[in-house]
Amino acid sequence: MREPSVTKSDRRQTPRTKLVEIAYIGMGPENGGLVLDVSDGGLSFHAVAPVQQADTIRFLLSLRGHSRIEGAGEVVWTNEMRTVCGLRFT
């Protein structure tokens, strides 16, 4: 029998929270997307264009069209298409 694999949620130090409102993430003029969930240490998002794992990116979060938060983070995981990603704040 195989041992159960560790899931992403088992490795998280803080729980992720789904957002009630739509939040956008901008990653420069060439890419952006929707935030899926967020925690104290990072967030996951669905990007328009593929993102490379291990890249450090500067981002801009937009909430309700007027609140903006700037930050930086490291892409720690992606799906196969590299459009759904996990970002750890740095």
Side-chain angles (χ1 to χ4, degrees), residues 37-58:
D37 54 39
V38 66
S39 74
D40 288 343
L43 56 82
S44 66
F45 62 93
H46 189 256
V48 173
V51 176
Q52 294 294 326
Q53 187 170 337
D55 274 358
T56 298
I57 58 172
R58 299 221 30 92

Side-chain angles (χ1 to χ4, degrees), residues 8-9 12-19 36-45 76-77 85-89:
K8 290 181 184 97
S9 62
R12 292 183 183 144
Q13 295 178 358
T14 56
R16 293 246 168 126
T17 303
K18 298 274 186 205
L19 301 178
L36 302 174
D37 54 39
V38 66
S39 74
D40 288 343
L43 56 82
S44 66
F45 62 93
V76 292
W77 62 265
C85 308
L87 182 73
R88 180 177 53 226
F89 301 138

Side-chain angles (χ1 to χ4, degrees), residues 60-82:
L60 177 67
L61 296 177
S62 297
L63 308 167
R64 286 188 238 157
H66 11 151
S67 299
R68 293 181 184 255
I69 301 166
E70 291 185 49
E74 178 187 3
V75 179
V76 292
W77 62 265
T78 67
N79 69 349
E80 190 175 298
M81 296 178 63
R82 300 186 338 250

Side-chain angles (χ1 to χ4, degrees), residues 16-36:
R16 293 246 168 126
T17 303
K18 298 274 186 205
L19 301 178
V20 251
E21 297 183 31
I22 294 175
Y24 300 98
I25 183 168
M27 297 168 279
E30 301 296 319
N31 205 355
L34 295 174
V35 176
L36 302 174

